[in-house]
Coordinates of all heavy atoms in Angstrom, one line a residue:
E1 N 74.5 23.1 -153.7 CA 75.4 24.2 -153.4 C 75.9 24.1 -152.0 O 77.0 24.5 -151.7 CB 74.6 25.6 -153.6 CG 75.5 26.8 -153.4 CD 76.7 26.9 -154.3 OE1 76.7 26.4 -155.4 OE2 77.7 27.5 -153.8
G2 N 75.1 23.7 -151.0 CA 75.5 23.5 -149.6 C 76.7 22.6 -149.5 O 77.6 22.8 -148.7
A3 N 76.7 21.5 -150.3 CA 77.8 20.5 -150.2 C 79.1 21.2 -150.7 O 80.1 20.9 -150.2 CB 77.4 19.3 -151.0
R4 N 79.0 22.0 -151.8 CA 80.2 22.6 -152.3 C 80.7 23.6 -151.3 O 81.9 23.7 -151.2 CB 79.8 23.3 -153.6 CG 79.6 22.4 -154.7 CD 79.3 23.1 -156.0 NE 78.9 22.2 -157.0 CZ 78.6 22.5 -158.2 NH1 78.6 23.7 -158.6 NH2 78.3 21.5 -159.1
Q5 N 79.9 24.4 -150.6 CA 80.3 25.3 -149.6 C 81.0 24.5 -148.5 O 82.1 25.0 -148.0 CB 79.2 26.1 -149.1 CG 78.7 27.1 -150.0 CD 77.5 27.9 -149.4 OE1 76.6 27.3 -148.8 NE2 77.5 29.2 -149.6
M6 N 80.5 23.4 -148.1 CA 81.1 22.6 -147.0 C 82.5 22.1 -147.5 O 83.4 22.2 -146.7 CB 80.2 21.4 -146.7 CG 80.8 20.5 -145.7 SD 80.8 21.2 -144.0 CE 79.1 21.2 -143.6
L7 N 82.6 21.7 -148.7 CA 83.9 21.2 -149.2 C 84.9 22.4 -149.3 O 86.1 22.2 -148.9 CB 83.8 20.6 -150.6 CG 83.1 19.2 -150.6 CD1 82.9 18.8 -152.1 CD2 84.0 18.2 -149.9
R8 N 84.5 23.5 -149.7 CA 85.4 24.7 -149.7 C 85.8 25.0 -148.3 O 87.0 25.3 -148.1 CB 84.7 25.9 -150.3 CG 84.5 25.8 -151.8 CD 84.0 27.1 -152.4 NE 83.6 27.0 -153.7 CZ 82.3 26.9 -154.2 NH1 81.3 27.0 -153.3 NH2 82.1 26.7 -155.4
L9 N 84.9 25.0 -147.3 CA 85.3 25.2 -145.9 C 86.3 24.2 -145.4 O 87.3 24.6 -144.8 CB 84.1 25.2 -145.0 CG 84.3 25.4 -143.5 CD1 85.0 26.7 -143.2 CD2 83.0 25.2 -142.8
L10 N 86.0 22.9 -145.7 CA 87.0 21.9 -145.3 C 88.3 22.1 -145.9 O 89.4 21.9 -145.2 CB 86.4 20.5 -145.6 CG 85.2 20.1 -144.8 CD1 84.6 18.8 -145.3 CD2 85.6 20.0 -143.3
L11 N 88.4 22.4 -147.2 CA 89.7 22.6 -147.8 C 90.4 23.9 -147.3 O 91.7 23.9 -147.3 CB 89.5 22.7 -149.3 CG 89.2 21.4 -150.0 CD1 88.9 21.7 -151.5 CD2 90.4 20.4 -149.9
D12 N 89.7 24.8 -146.7 CA 90.3 26.0 -146.1 C 90.9 25.6 -144.7 O 91.8 26.2 -144.2 CB 89.3 27.1 -145.8 CG 89.0 27.8 -147.1 OD1 89.7 27.7 -148.1 OD2 87.9 28.5 -147.2
I13 N 90.3 24.5 -144.1 CA 90.6 24.1 -142.7 C 91.7 23.1 -142.7 O 92.6 23.1 -141.9 CB 89.4 23.6 -142.0 CG1 88.3 24.7 -141.9 CG2 89.8 23.0 -140.6 CD1 87.0 24.1 -141.4
Y14 N 91.7 22.1 -143.6 CA 92.6 21.0 -143.5 C 93.3 20.8 -144.9 O 92.8 21.3 -145.9 CB 92.0 19.8 -143.0 CG 91.2 19.0 -144.1 CD1 91.7 17.9 -144.8 CD2 89.9 19.4 -144.4 CE1 91.0 17.2 -145.7 CE2 89.2 18.7 -145.4 CZ 89.7 17.7 -146.1 OH 89.0 17.0 -147.0
Q15 N 94.4 20.1 -144.8 CA 95.1 19.8 -146.0 C 95.1 18.3 -146.3 O 95.5 17.5 -145.6 CB 96.6 20.2 -145.9 CG 97.5 19.9 -147.1 CD 98.9 20.3 -146.8 OE1 99.2 20.9 -145.9 NE2 99.8 19.8 -147.7
P16 N 94.5 17.9 -147.5 CA 94.5 16.5 -147.8 C 95.9 16.0 -148.0 O 96.8 16.8 -148.4 CB 93.7 16.5 -149.2 CG 92.9 17.7 -149.2 CD 93.7 18.7 -148.4
V17 N 96.1 14.7 -147.7 CA 97.5 14.2 -147.9 C 97.5 13.1 -148.9 O 96.5 12.5 -149.2 CB 98.0 13.6 -146.5 CG1 98.1 14.7 -145.5 CG2 97.1 12.5 -146.0
A18 N 98.7 12.9 -149.5 CA 98.8 11.9 -150.5 C 98.9 10.5 -150.0 O 99.4 10.3 -148.9 CB 100.1 12.2 -151.4
L19 N 98.5 9.6 -150.7 CA 98.7 8.2 -150.4 C 99.9 7.7 -151.1 O 100.0 7.8 -152.4 CB 97.4 7.4 -150.9 CG 97.6 5.9 -150.9 CD1 97.8 5.3 -149.5 CD2 96.3 5.2 -151.5
D20 N 100.9 7.2 -150.4 CA 102.1 6.7 -151.0 C 102.4 5.3 -150.6 O 101.7 4.7 -149.8 CB 103.3 7.7 -150.7 CG 103.6 7.8 -149.2 OD1 103.2 6.9 -148.5 OD2 104.3 8.8 -148.9
A21 N 103.5 4.8 -151.2 CA 103.9 3.4 -151.0 C 104.2 3.1 -149.5 O 103.8 2.0 -149.0 CB 105.1 3.0 -151.8
Q22 N 104.8 4.1 -148.8 CA 105.1 3.8 -147.4 C 103.8 3.6 -146.6 O 103.7 2.8 -145.7 CB 105.8 5.0 -146.8 CG 106.2 4.9 -145.3 CD 107.0 6.0 -144.8 OE1 107.5 6.8 -145.5 NE2 107.2 6.0 -143.5
V23 N 102.8 4.4 -146.8 CA 101.5 4.3 -146.1 C 100.9 2.9 -146.4 O 100.4 2.2 -145.5 CB 100.5 5.4 -146.5 CG1 99.1 5.1 -146.0 CG2 101.0 6.7 -146.1
V24 N 100.9 2.5 -147.7 CA 100.4 1.2 -148.0 C 101.2 0.1 -147.3 O 100.6 -0.9 -146.7 CB 100.4 0.9 -149.6 CG1 100.0 -0.5 -149.9 CG2 99.5 2.0 -150.2
R25 N 102.5 0.1 -147.3 CA 103.3 -0.9 -146.6 C 103.0 -0.9 -145.1 O 102.9 -2.0 -144.5 CB 104.8 -0.6 -146.8 CG 105.3 -0.9 -148.1 CD 106.9 -0.8 -148.2 NE 107.3 -0.8 -149.6 CZ 107.6 0.3 -150.3 NH1 107.6 1.5 -149.7 NH2 107.9 0.2 -151.5
Q26 N 102.9 0.2 -144.5 CA 102.5 0.2 -143.1 C 101.1 -0.4 -142.8 O 100.9 -1.0 -141.8 CB 102.6 1.7 -142.5 CG 103.9 2.3 -142.5 CD 103.9 3.7 -142.1 OE1 103.0 4.5 -142.5 NE2 104.9 4.2 -141.4
S27 N 100.2 -0.2 -143.7 CA 98.9 -0.6 -143.6 C 98.7 -2.1 -143.8 O 97.8 -2.7 -143.2 CB 98.0 0.2 -144.6 OG 98.1 1.5 -144.3
I28 N 99.5 -2.7 -144.6 CA 99.3 -4.1 -144.9 C 99.2 -5.0 -143.7 O 98.3 -5.8 -143.6 CB 100.3 -4.6 -145.9 CG1 100.1 -3.9 -147.3 CG2 100.4 -6.1 -146.1 CD1 101.2 -4.1 -148.3
G29 N 100.1 -4.9 -142.8 CA 100.2 -5.7 -141.6 C 99.7 -5.1 -140.3 O 100.0 -5.6 -139.3
A30 N 98.9 -4.1 -140.4 CA 98.5 -3.3 -139.3 C 97.5 -3.9 -138.4 O 97.2 -3.5 -137.3 CB 98.1 -1.9 -139.7
G31 N 96.7 -4.9 -138.9 CA 95.7 -5.6 -138.1 C 94.4 -5.0 -138.0 O 93.5 -5.3 -137.2
F32 N 94.1 -4.0 -138.9 CA 92.8 -3.4 -138.9 C 91.9 -4.3 -139.7 O 92.3 -5.1 -140.6 CB 92.8 -2.1 -139.7 CG 93.3 -0.9 -138.9 CD1 94.5 -0.8 -138.4 CD2 92.4 0.2 -138.8 CE1 95.0 0.3 -137.7 CE2 92.8 1.4 -138.1 CZ 94.1 1.4 -137.5
T33 N 90.6 -4.3 -139.3 CA 89.7 -5.2 -140.1 C 89.3 -4.6 -141.4 O 88.9 -5.3 -142.3 CB 88.4 -5.4 -139.2 OG1 87.8 -4.2 -138.9 CG2 88.7 -6.2 -138.0
D34 N 89.4 -3.3 -141.6 CA 89.0 -2.6 -142.8 C 90.3 -2.0 -143.4 O 90.9 -1.1 -142.8 CB 87.9 -1.6 -142.6 CG 87.4 -0.9 -143.8 OD1 88.2 -0.6 -144.7 OD2 86.2 -0.8 -143.9
F35 N 90.7 -2.4 -144.6 CA 91.9 -1.9 -145.2 C 91.8 -0.4 -145.4 O 92.8 0.3 -145.3 CB 92.3 -2.6 -146.4 CG 93.7 -2.3 -147.0 CD1 94.8 -2.7 -146.2 CD2 93.8 -1.7 -148.2 CE1 96.1 -2.4 -146.7 CE2 95.1 -1.4 -148.6 CZ 96.2 -1.7 -147.9
E36 N 90.7 0.1 -145.9 CA 90.6 1.5 -146.1 C 90.8 2.3 -144.8 O 91.4 3.4 -144.8 CB 89.2 1.9 -146.7 CG 89.0 1.4 -148.1 CD 87.6 1.6 -148.6 OE1 86.7 2.2 -147.9 OE2 87.3 1.1 -149.7
D37 N 90.3 1.8 -143.7 CA 90.5 2.5 -142.4 C 92.0 2.6 -142.1 O 92.5 3.6 -141.6 CB 89.8 1.8 -141.3 CG 88.3 1.9 -141.4 OD1 87.8 2.8 -142.1 OD2 87.6 1.1 -140.7
T38 N 92.7 1.5 -142.3 CA 94.2 1.5 -141.9 C 94.9 2.4 -142.9 O 95.9 3.1 -142.4 CB 94.8 0.1 -141.9 OG1 96.1 0.1 -141.3 CG2 94.9 -0.6 -143.3
I39 N 94.5 2.5 -144.1 CA 95.1 3.5 -145.0 C 94.9 4.9 -144.5 O 95.9 5.7 -144.4 CB 94.5 3.4 -146.5 CG1 95.0 2.0 -147.1 CG2 94.9 4.6 -147.3 CD1 96.3 2.0 -147.7
Q40 N 93.7 5.2 -144.1 CA 93.4 6.6 -143.6 C 94.2 6.8 -142.3 O 94.8 7.9 -142.2 CB 91.9 6.7 -143.3 CG 91.0 6.7 -144.4 CD 89.6 6.7 -144.0 OE1 89.2 7.0 -142.9 NE2 88.7 6.3 -144.9
Y41 N 94.3 5.9 -141.5 CA 95.0 6.0 -140.2 C 96.5 6.3 -140.4 O 97.1 7.2 -139.9 CB 94.8 4.8 -139.3 CG 95.5 4.9 -138.0 CD1 95.0 5.8 -137.0 CD2 96.5 4.1 -137.7 CE1 95.7 5.9 -135.8 CE2 97.2 4.2 -136.5 CZ 96.7 5.1 -135.5 OH 97.4 5.2 -134.3
H42 N 97.1 5.4 -141.2 CA 98.6 5.6 -141.4 C 98.9 6.8 -142.3 O 100.0 7.4 -142.1 CB 99.1 4.3 -142.1 CG 99.3 3.2 -141.0 ND1 98.3 2.3 -140.8 CD2 100.2 3.0 -140.1 CE1 98.7 1.5 -139.8 NE2 99.9 1.9 -139.4
A43 N 98.0 7.2 -143.1 CA 98.2 8.5 -143.9 C 98.2 9.7 -142.9 O 99.0 10.6 -142.9 CB 97.2 8.7 -145.0
A44 N 97.2 9.6 -141.9 CA 97.1 10.7 -140.9 C 98.4 10.7 -140.0 O 99.0 11.8 -139.7 CB 95.9 10.5 -140.1
L45 N 98.8 9.5 -139.6 CA 100.1 9.5 -138.8 C 101.3 10.0 -139.5 O 102.1 10.7 -139.0 CB 100.3 8.0 -138.3 CG 99.4 7.4 -137.3 CD1 99.8 6.0 -136.9 CD2 99.4 8.3 -136.0
G46 N 101.4 9.6 -140.8 CA 102.5 9.9 -141.6 C 102.7 11.4 -141.9 O 103.8 11.9 -142.0
C47 N 101.6 12.1 -141.9 CA 101.7 13.6 -142.1 C 101.6 14.4 -140.9 O 101.7 15.6 -140.9 CB 100.6 14.0 -143.1 SG 99.0 14.1 -142.3
G48 N 101.6 13.7 -139.7 CA 101.5 14.4 -138.4 C 100.2 15.1 -138.2 O 100.1 16.2 -137.5
A49 N 99.1 14.5 -138.7 CA 97.8 15.1 -138.5 C 97.4 15.3 -137.0 O 97.8 14.5 -136.2 CB 96.7 14.2 -139.2
E50 N 96.7 16.4 -136.7 CA 96.2 16.6 -135.4 C 95.0 15.8 -135.0 O 94.8 15.6 -133.9 CB 95.9 18.1 -135.2 CG 97.1 19.0 -135.4 CD 96.7 20.5 -135.3 OE1 95.6 20.8 -134.7 OE2 97.4 21.3 -135.8
C51 N 94.3 15.3 -136.1 CA 93.2 14.5 -135.9 C 92.8 13.8 -137.2 O 93.4 14.1 -138.2 CB 92.0 15.2 -135.4 SG 91.3 16.4 -136.6
L52 N 92.0 12.8 -137.1 CA 91.5 12.1 -138.2 C 90.0 12.3 -138.3 O 89.3 12.1 -137.2 CB 91.8 10.6 -138.1 CG 91.6 9.7 -139.3 CD1 92.6 8.6 -139.3 CD2 90.2 9.2 -139.5
V53 N 89.4 12.7 -139.4 CA 88.0 12.9 -139.5 C 87.4 11.8 -140.4 O 87.8 11.5 -141.5 CB 87.8 14.3 -140.2 CG1 86.3 14.6 -140.3 CG2 88.4 15.4 -139.4
T54 N 86.4 11.1 -139.8 CA 85.7 10.0 -140.4 C 84.3 9.9 -139.9 O 84.0 10.3 -138.8 CB 86.5 8.7 -140.2 OG1 85.9 7.6 -140.8 CG2 86.7 8.4 -138.7
R55 N 83.5 9.2 -140.7 CA 82.1 8.9 -140.2 C 82.2 7.5 -139.4 O 81.2 7.2 -138.9 CB 81.2 8.7 -141.4 CG 80.9 10.1 -142.1 CD 80.0 9.9 -143.3 NE 80.1 11.0 -144.1 CZ 79.2 12.0 -144.1 NH1 78.2 12.0 -143.3 NH2 79.3 13.0 -144.9
N56 N 83.3 6.9 -139.4 CA 83.4 5.6 -138.8 C 84.4 5.6 -137.6 O 85.3 4.9 -137.5 CB 83.9 4.5 -139.8 CG 83.0 4.3 -140.9 OD1 81.8 4.2 -140.7 ND2 83.5 4.2 -142.1
V57 N 84.1 6.5 -136.6 CA 84.9 6.6 -135.4 C 85.2 5.3 -134.7 O 86.3 5.0 -134.3 CB 84.3 7.7 -134.5 CG1 85.1 7.7 -133.1 CG2 84.3 9.0 -135.1
A58 N 84.2 4.5 -134.6 CA 84.3 3.2 -133.9 C 85.3 2.3 -134.6 O 85.8 1.3 -133.9 CB 82.9 2.5 -133.9
H59 N 85.7 2.5 -135.8 CA 86.7 1.7 -136.5 C 88.1 2.0 -136.1 O 89.0 1.3 -136.6 CB 86.5 1.8 -138.0 CG 85.3 1.2 -138.6 ND1 85.1 1.1 -139.9 CD2 84.2 0.7 -138.0 CE1 83.9 0.5 -140.1 NE2 83.3 0.3 -139.0
F60 N 88.3 3.0 -135.2 CA 89.6 3.4 -134.8 C 89.8 3.3 -133.3 O 90.2 4.3 -132.7 CB 89.9 4.8 -135.3 CG 89.8 4.9 -136.8 CD1 88.6 5.2 -137.5 CD2 90.9 4.7 -137.6 CE1 88.5 5.3 -138.8 CE2 90.9 4.8 -139.0 CZ 89.7 5.1 -139.6
P61 N 89.5 2.2 -132.6 CA 89.5 2.2 -131.2 C 90.9 2.4 -130.6 O 91.0 2.8 -129.4 CB 89.0 0.8 -130.9 CG 89.3 0.0 -132.0 CD 89.2 0.9 -133.2
K62 N 92.0 2.1 -131.3 CA 93.3 2.2 -130.7 C 94.1 3.3 -131.3 O 95.3 3.3 -131.3 CB 94.1 0.9 -130.9 CG 93.4 -0.3 -130.2 CD 94.2 -1.6 -130.5 CE 93.5 -2.7 -129.8 NZ 94.2 -4.0 -130.0
A63 N 93.4 4.3 -131.9 CA 94.1 5.4 -132.5 C 94.9 6.2 -131.5 O 94.5 6.4 -130.4 CB 93.1 6.3 -133.2
T64 N 96.0 6.7 -131.9 CA 96.9 7.5 -131.1 C 96.7 9.0 -131.4 O 97.3 9.9 -130.8 CB 98.4 7.2 -131.3 OG1 98.7 7.3 -132.6 CG2 98.6 5.7 -130.8
V65 N 95.8 9.3 -132.4 CA 95.4 10.7 -132.6 C 93.9 10.8 -132.4 O 93.2 9.8 -132.6 CB 95.8 11.2 -134.1 CG1 97.3 11.2 -134.3 CG2 95.1 10.3 -135.1
P66 N 93.4 12.0 -132.1 CA 91.9 12.1 -131.9 C 91.2 11.7 -133.2 O 91.6 12.1 -134.3 CB 91.7 13.5 -131.6 CG 93.0 14.0 -131.0 CD 94.1 13.2 -131.8
V67 N 90.1 11.0 -133.1 CA 89.3 10.6 -134.3 C 87.9 11.2 -134.1 O 87.2 11.0 -133.1 CB 89.2 9.0 -134.4 CG1 88.3 8.7 -135.6 CG2 90.6 8.4 -134.5
L68 N 87.5 12.1 -135.0 CA 86.3 12.9 -134.9 C 85.4 12.6 -136.1 O 85.8 12.4 -137.2 CB 86.7 14.4 -134.9 CG 87.7 14.8 -133.9 CD1 88.1 16.3 -134.1 CD2 87.2 14.6 -132.5
T69 N 84.1 12.7 -135.8 CA 83.1 12.8 -136.9 C 83.2 14.1 -137.6 O 83.8 15.1 -137.0 CB 81.7 12.6 -136.4 OG1 81.3 13.7 -135.6 CG2 81.5 11.3 -135.7
P70 N 82.8 14.3 -138.8 CA 82.8 15.6 -139.5 C 82.1 16.6 -138.6 O 82.6 17.8 -138.5 CB 82.1 15.4 -140.8 CG 82.3 13.9 -141.1 CD 82.3 13.2 -139.8
E71 N 81.0 16.3 -138.0 CA 80.2 17.2 -137.2 C 81.0 17.6 -136.0 O 81.1 18.8 -135.6 CB 78.9 16.6 -136.8 CG 77.9 16.4 -137.9 CD 78.2 15.1 -138.7 OE1 79.0 14.2 -138.2 OE2 77.6 14.9 -139.8
E72 N 81.7 16.7 -135.3 CA 82.5 17.0 -134.2 C 83.7 17.9 -134.6 O 84.0 18.9 -133.8 CB 83.1 15.7 -133.5 CG 82.1 14.9 -132.8 CD 82.6 13.5 -132.4 OE1 83.5 13.0 -133.1 OE2 82.0 13.0 -131.5
F73 N 84.3 17.6 -135.7 CA 85.4 18.4 -136.2 C 85.0 19.9 -136.4 O 85.6 20.8 -136.0 CB 86.0 17.8 -137.5 CG 87.1 18.7 -138.1 CD1 88.4 18.7 -137.5 CD2 86.8 19.5 -139.1 CE1 89.4 19.5 -138.1 CE2 87.8 20.3 -139.7 CZ 89.1 20.3 -139.1
L74 N 83.9 20.0 -137.1 CA 83.4 21.4 -137.4 C 83.0 22.1 -136.2 O 83.3 23.3 -136.1 CB 82.2 21.3 -138.4 CG 82.6 20.9 -139.9 CD1 81.4 20.7 -140.7 CD2 83.6 21.9 -140.5
A75 N 82.4 21.4 -135.2 CA 82.0 22.1 -133.9 C 83.3 22.5 -133.2 O 83.3 23.7 -132.7 CB 81.2 21.2 -133.1
A76 N 84.3 21.7 -133.2 CA 85.6 22.1 -132.5 C 86.2 23.2 -133.2 O 86.8 24.1 -132.6 CB 86.5 20.8 -132.5
Y77 N 86.2 23.2 -134.6 CA 86.8 24.3 -135.3 C 86.1 25.6 -135.1 O 86.7 26.6 -134.9 CB 86.7 24.0 -136.8 CG 87.3 25.1 -137.7 CD1 88.6 25.2 -137.8 CD2 86.4 25.9 -138.4 CE1 89.2 26.3 -138.6 CE2 86.9 26.9 -139.2 CZ 88.3 27.1 -139.3 OH 88.8 28.1 -140.0
E78 N 84.7 25.6 -135.0 CA 84.0 26.8 -134.8 C 84.3 27.3 -133.4 O 84.5 28.5 -133.2 CB 82.5 26.5 -134.9 CG 82.0 26.4 -136.3 CD 80.5 26.1 -136.4 OE1 79.8 26.3 -135.4 OE2 80.0 25.8 -137.5
A79 N 84.4 26.4 -132.4 CA 84.7 26.9 -131.0 C 86.1 27.5 -131.0 O 86.3 28.5 -130.3 CB 84.6 25.7 -130.1
Q80 N 87.0 26.9 -131.7 CA 88.4 27.4 -131.7 C 88.4 28.8 -132.4 O 89.1 29.7 -131.9 CB 89.3 26.5 -132.5 CG 90.7 27.0 -132.6 CD 91.6 26.1 -133.5 OE1 91.1 25.3 -134.3 NE2 92.9 26.2 -133.4
Q81 N 87.6 29.0 -133.4 CA 87.6 30.3 -134.1 C 87.0 31.4 -133.2 O 87.4 32.5 -133.2 CB 86.8 30.2 -135.4 CG 87.5 29.3 -136.5 CD 88.8 29.9 -136.8 OE1 89.0 31.0 -137.2 NE2 89.9 29.0 -136.7
K82 N 85.9 31.0 -132.5 CA 85.3 31.9 -131.5 C 86.2 32.3 -130.4 O 86.3 33.5 -130.0 CB 84.0 31.3 -131.0 CG 82.9 31.3 -131.9 CD 81.7 30.7 -131.3 CE 80.5 30.5 -132.4 NZ 79.4 29.9 -131.8
S83 N 87.0 31.4 -129.9 CA 87.9 31.7 -128.8 C 89.1 32.5 -129.3 O 89.7 33.3 -128.5 CB 88.4 30.5 -128.1 OG 89.2 29.7 -128.9
A84 N 89.5 32.4 -130.6 CA 90.6 33.1 -131.1 C 90.3 34.5 -131.5 O 91.2 35.3 -131.7 CB 91.2 32.3 -132.3
G85 N 89.0 34.7 -131.8 CA 88.8 36.0 -132.3 C 87.6 36.8 -131.8 O 87.4 37.9 -132.0

């Protein structure tokens, strides 16, 4: 049940994005060592994401958007909620 609650919270906070042909094309020659990472990165860039949430932060050393662990993201979200209300 705890995992389901976490997923509900995450879906309230962020919007998943679609993987499309443009993201795949951008990812093919991007020079990442892990193709899944480059797919995530280019999908985030393509939708104008404020950050990328992953357990593999070290796989994104040249990212132009903040890359956060799930724990860092949730802590930042909680801090933002406290300061807003």
